[in-house]
Amino acid sequence: WNFSKILCSHELRTPMAAVIGLLDILVCDDCLTNEQYANVTQIRKCSTALLRLLNNILDLSKVSYTFKDLSC
């Protein structure tokens, strides 16, 4: 599976950053119940972790691609 071809663009990072931004706005809403606030906060934590994972995969795919270029 070639991650560099699939993940070389910002096709995954940009929407995830948008989701996190919208969650930040939602957290500031005074109309949320305690349960809703807790759920939104948990979703934001998970989204941030997923974005971090995506960034790591992109970084690894760049390193892998660089090593392939150097070995040719």
Side-chain angles (χ1 to χ4, degrees):
W1 193 333
N2 191 347
F3 283 109
S4 61
K5 287 184 180 179
I6 297 170
L7 300 174
C8 65
S9 71
H10 299 284
E11 291 175 2
L12 294 173
R13 268 195 292 197
T14 301
M16 185 55 64
V19 167
I20 292 169
L22 290 172
L23 289 168
D24 286 341
I25 293 169
L26 189 55
V27 165
C28 296
D29 189 349
D30 294 334
C31 296
L32 293 178
T33 65
N34 289 337
E35 183 180 1
Q36 290 170 329
Y37 180 83
N39 289 337
V40 170
T41 302
Q42 184 62 37
I43 293 168
R44 191 191 184 292
K45 286 179 186 176
C46 293
S47 298
T48 302
L50 182 57
L51 182 59
R52 200 174 318 119
L53 179 63
L54 290 171
N55 285 332
N56 289 340
I57 291 170
L58 286 169
D59 290 344
L60 287 173
S61 69
K62 288 177 192 174
V63 169
S64 174
Y65 187 75
T66 301
F67 281 134
K68 284 181 184 179
D69 282 351
L70 293 175
S71 64
C72 292

